[in-house]
Amino acid sequence: MNLGSVLAAVFRRDWTMMKRYMVNSISSLVSIYMIFILIFAGLQSVSKYANTGALDGSLEGTIVGFFVWTFTIYAFSNLSWNLINEAQTGTLEQLYLAPCGFKWVGAATLMSDFVFSFVPIMLLLFAMMATTGRWLRVDMVSLVPLLVITLLGAYGVGFALGGLALVFKRIQALFQIIQFVFIGLLVIPARVPGVKYLPLAMGNDLIRAVMVDGVRLWRLPPGDILTAAAVGAVYLAIGIVIFSLCERVAKNRGLLGHY
């Protein structure tokens, strides 16, 4: 099977689902925006910002951290949610009949999710900037590659959670724990020894340099970009391995057709 056909089919499916459940899509963005409003109100009530990580001593850093966190939530949760929904509706086994293999279907799902979540999250970014009155630099040429590099680790977590969903089915509560873990990874300063080898940390620091300091992609330290890309690739590979192991367990136990 042509992988382009798989990607096109997944795009058509996600576009149809987004149109059909538009109210739910909008409501999820509104709820995320309300969380930011609460954070912003809390920061406004104190005299000084914490000089750490995503906050970085400024409201601009807080906006960038929340922006990256929102992308991260969509990146790691969508594959798992799709697996849970497919299992509930009884169509998961049909996806496993795809000649290209389910991993390519999962990869196409992640690419489709990135495309369809990009515009809404960018609108959310502009809403946050309008609310706070702090306007950041949105350089798409520099921002998009850094987002992809940063989210590689989150996609790895998504594959790992997807594998767990195949075996244990209901893992929604685990999503909430992972969300808080990612907040911690964004808050810890990248200058702390060893933090740059954790997912998101180095990428978030590079994105902040682009959006807050106005540094273009080709002016960023090449070593930092390579480190962020390598760390993301390693975590993605680990996630795929975990998914493969869980997939084997689910097949051996006959769990694919059950929820």
PDB file of all heavy atoms in Angstrom, residues 1 24-25 39 47 52 60 95 127 129 140 142 197 220 234 257:
ATOM      1  N   MET A   1       0.844  -1.200   0.000  1.00  0.00           N
ATOM      2  CA  MET A   1       0.000   0.000   0.000  1.00  0.00           C
ATOM      3  C   MET A   1       0.880   1.251   0.000  1.00  0.00           C
ATOM      4  O   MET A   1       1.876   1.338   0.706  1.00  0.00           O
ATOM      5  CB  MET A   1      -0.913   0.021   1.233  1.00  0.00           C
ATOM      6  CG  MET A   1      -1.749   1.294   1.365  1.00  0.00           C
ATOM      7  SD  MET A   1      -2.775   1.315   2.846  1.00  0.00           S
ATOM      8  CE  MET A   1      -4.021   0.102   2.381  1.00  0.00           C
ATOM      9  N   ASN A  24     -16.911  20.328  20.260  1.00  0.00           N
ATOM     10  CA  ASN A  24     -15.988  19.722  21.208  1.00  0.00           C
ATOM     11  C   ASN A  24     -14.570  20.245  21.013  1.00  0.00           C
ATOM     12  O   ASN A  24     -13.846  20.502  21.995  1.00  0.00           O
ATOM     13  CB  ASN A  24     -16.001  18.197  21.052  1.00  0.00           C
ATOM     14  CG  ASN A  24     -15.120  17.496  22.062  1.00  0.00           C
ATOM     15  OD1 ASN A  24     -15.367  17.538  23.258  1.00  0.00           O
ATOM     16  ND2 ASN A  24     -14.060  16.861  21.578  1.00  0.00           N
ATOM     17  N   SER A  25     -14.156  20.430  19.748  1.00  0.00           N
ATOM     18  CA  SER A  25     -12.818  20.940  19.468  1.00  0.00           C
ATOM     19  C   SER A  25     -12.647  22.354  20.006  1.00  0.00           C
ATOM     20  O   SER A  25     -11.621  22.687  20.622  1.00  0.00           O
ATOM     21  CB  SER A  25     -12.547  20.914  17.954  1.00  0.00           C
ATOM     22  OG  SER A  25     -12.677  19.604  17.434  1.00  0.00           O
ATOM     23  N   ILE A  39      -3.686  31.124  35.331  1.00  0.00           N
ATOM     24  CA  ILE A  39      -2.250  31.265  35.589  1.00  0.00           C
ATOM     25  C   ILE A  39      -1.844  32.727  35.504  1.00  0.00           C
ATOM     26  O   ILE A  39      -1.094  33.239  36.359  1.00  0.00           O
ATOM     27  CB  ILE A  39      -1.444  30.418  34.584  1.00  0.00           C
ATOM     28  CG1 ILE A  39      -1.725  28.928  34.800  1.00  0.00           C
ATOM     29  CG2 ILE A  39       0.050  30.700  34.712  1.00  0.00           C
ATOM     30  CD1 ILE A  39      -1.074  28.034  33.769  1.00  0.00           C
ATOM     31  N   SER A  47       4.343  40.047  43.085  1.00  0.00           N
ATOM     32  CA  SER A  47       5.159  41.177  42.658  1.00  0.00           C
ATOM     33  C   SER A  47       6.295  40.782  41.730  1.00  0.00           C
ATOM     34  O   SER A  47       6.749  41.579  40.929  1.00  0.00           O
ATOM     35  CB  SER A  47       5.742  41.893  43.888  1.00  0.00           C
ATOM     36  OG  SER A  47       6.504  40.979  44.664  1.00  0.00           O
ATOM     37  N   THR A  52      12.718  30.868  36.849  1.00  0.00           N
ATOM     38  CA  THR A  52      13.058  29.496  36.487  1.00  0.00           C
ATOM     39  C   THR A  52      12.356  29.104  35.218  1.00  0.00           C
ATOM     40  O   THR A  52      11.241  29.542  34.941  1.00  0.00           O
ATOM     41  CB  THR A  52      12.633  28.494  37.577  1.00  0.00           C
ATOM     42  OG1 THR A  52      11.233  28.625  37.810  1.00  0.00           O
ATOM     43  CG2 THR A  52      13.393  28.725  38.867  1.00  0.00           C
ATOM     44  N   GLU A  60       6.565  36.854  29.138  1.00  0.00           N
ATOM     45  CA  GLU A  60       6.793  36.305  27.802  1.00  0.00           C
ATOM     46  C   GLU A  60       7.212  34.838  27.879  1.00  0.00           C
ATOM     47  O   GLU A  60       6.747  34.002  27.096  1.00  0.00           O
ATOM     48  CB  GLU A  60       7.880  37.114  27.081  1.00  0.00           C
ATOM     49  CG  GLU A  60       7.465  38.503  26.669  1.00  0.00           C
ATOM     50  CD  GLU A  60       7.680  39.522  27.774  1.00  0.00           C
ATOM     51  OE1 GLU A  60       7.963  39.100  28.917  1.00  0.00           O
ATOM     52  OE2 GLU A  60       7.566  40.729  27.498  1.00  0.00           O
ATOM     53  N   LEU A  95      -7.900  -1.583  11.512  1.00  0.00           N
ATOM     54  CA  LEU A  95      -6.698  -0.795  11.248  1.00  0.00           C
ATOM     55  C   LEU A  95      -5.464  -1.680  11.186  1.00  0.00           C
ATOM     56  O   LEU A  95      -4.526  -1.417  10.429  1.00  0.00           O
ATOM     57  CB  LEU A  95      -6.519   0.261  12.334  1.00  0.00           C
ATOM     58  CG  LEU A  95      -7.570   1.384  12.374  1.00  0.00           C
ATOM     59  CD1 LEU A  95      -7.276   2.334  13.528  1.00  0.00           C
ATOM     60  CD2 LEU A  95      -7.575   2.158  11.065  1.00  0.00           C
ATOM     61  N   ALA A 127      -4.414  34.749  21.132  1.00  0.00           N
ATOM     62  CA  ALA A 127      -5.351  35.124  22.189  1.00  0.00           C
ATOM     63  C   ALA A 127      -4.608  35.395  23.492  1.00  0.00           C
ATOM     64  O   ALA A 127      -4.927  36.355  24.218  1.00  0.00           O
ATOM     65  CB  ALA A 127      -6.398  34.028  22.388  1.00  0.00           C
ATOM     66  N   MET A 129      -1.457  36.366  23.770  1.00  0.00           N
ATOM     67  CA  MET A 129      -0.698  37.598  23.623  1.00  0.00           C
ATOM     68  C   MET A 129      -1.611  38.818  23.718  1.00  0.00           C
ATOM     69  O   MET A 129      -1.249  39.835  24.316  1.00  0.00           O
ATOM     70  CB  MET A 129       0.059  37.584  22.292  1.00  0.00           C
ATOM     71  CG  MET A 129       1.193  36.569  22.235  1.00  0.00           C
ATOM     72  SD  MET A 129       2.280  36.743  20.790  1.00  0.00           S
ATOM     73  CE  MET A 129       1.154  36.305  19.453  1.00  0.00           C
ATOM     74  N   MET A 140       7.671  31.836  11.547  1.00  0.00           N
ATOM     75  CA  MET A 140       7.305  30.469  11.186  1.00  0.00           C
ATOM     76  C   MET A 140       8.486  29.664  10.649  1.00  0.00           C
ATOM     77  O   MET A 140       8.589  28.461  10.898  1.00  0.00           O
ATOM     78  CB  MET A 140       6.177  30.485  10.147  1.00  0.00           C
ATOM     79  CG  MET A 140       4.853  30.982  10.684  1.00  0.00           C
ATOM     80  SD  MET A 140       4.223  29.889  11.977  1.00  0.00           S
ATOM     81  CE  MET A 140       2.654  30.688  12.343  1.00  0.00           C
ATOM     82  N   SER A 142      11.524  29.764  11.558  1.00  0.00           N
ATOM     83  CA  SER A 142      12.324  29.285  12.686  1.00  0.00           C
ATOM     84  C   SER A 142      11.499  28.450  13.652  1.00  0.00           C
ATOM     85  O   SER A 142      12.007  27.482  14.241  1.00  0.00           O
ATOM     86  CB  SER A 142      12.929  30.476  13.442  1.00  0.00           C
ATOM     87  OG  SER A 142      13.733  31.271  12.606  1.00  0.00           O
ATOM     88  N   TYR A 197      19.020  16.808  28.542  1.00  0.00           N
ATOM     89  CA  TYR A 197      18.814  15.465  28.019  1.00  0.00           C
ATOM     90  C   TYR A 197      17.421  14.930  28.328  1.00  0.00           C
ATOM     91  O   TYR A 197      17.121  13.767  28.034  1.00  0.00           O
ATOM     92  CB  TYR A 197      19.873  14.519  28.583  1.00  0.00           C
ATOM     93  CG  TYR A 197      21.279  14.940  28.240  1.00  0.00           C
ATOM     94  CD1 TYR A 197      22.176  15.333  29.224  1.00  0.00           C
ATOM     95  CD2 TYR A 197      21.701  14.960  26.914  1.00  0.00           C
ATOM     96  CE1 TYR A 197      23.462  15.736  28.906  1.00  0.00           C
ATOM     97  CE2 TYR A 197      22.992  15.368  26.581  1.00  0.00           C
ATOM     98  CZ  TYR A 197      23.857  15.751  27.583  1.00  0.00           C
ATOM     99  OH  TYR A 197      25.135  16.153  27.258  1.00  0.00           O
ATOM    100  N   LEU A 220      20.928  30.318  16.012  1.00  0.00           N
ATOM    101  CA  LEU A 220      20.954  29.553  17.253  1.00  0.00           C
ATOM    102  C   LEU A 220      22.194  28.657  17.278  1.00  0.00           C
ATOM    103  O   LEU A 220      22.698  28.260  16.218  1.00  0.00           O
ATOM    104  CB  LEU A 220      19.697  28.688  17.368  1.00  0.00           C
ATOM    105  CG  LEU A 220      18.378  29.435  17.572  1.00  0.00           C
ATOM    106  CD1 LEU A 220      17.201  28.465  17.424  1.00  0.00           C
ATOM    107  CD2 LEU A 220      18.335  30.129  18.926  1.00  0.00           C
ATOM    108  N   VAL A 234      15.792  10.008  20.348  1.00  0.00           N
ATOM    109  CA  VAL A 234      16.005   8.887  21.265  1.00  0.00           C
ATOM    110  C   VAL A 234      14.711   8.546  21.995  1.00  0.00           C
ATOM    111  O   VAL A 234      14.323   7.370  22.087  1.00  0.00           O
ATOM    112  CB  VAL A 234      17.124   9.220  22.273  1.00  0.00           C
ATOM    113  CG1 VAL A 234      17.151   8.196  23.407  1.00  0.00           C
ATOM    114  CG2 VAL A 234      18.473   9.250  21.568  1.00  0.00           C
ATOM    115  N   GLY A 257      -9.238  -6.958  19.954  1.00  0.00           N
ATOM    116  CA  GLY A 257     -10.663  -6.856  19.632  1.00  0.00           C
ATOM    117  C   GLY A 257     -11.538  -6.635  20.823  1.00  0.00           C
ATOM    118  O   GLY A 257     -12.770  -6.680  20.715  1.00  0.00           O
TER     119      GLY A 257
END
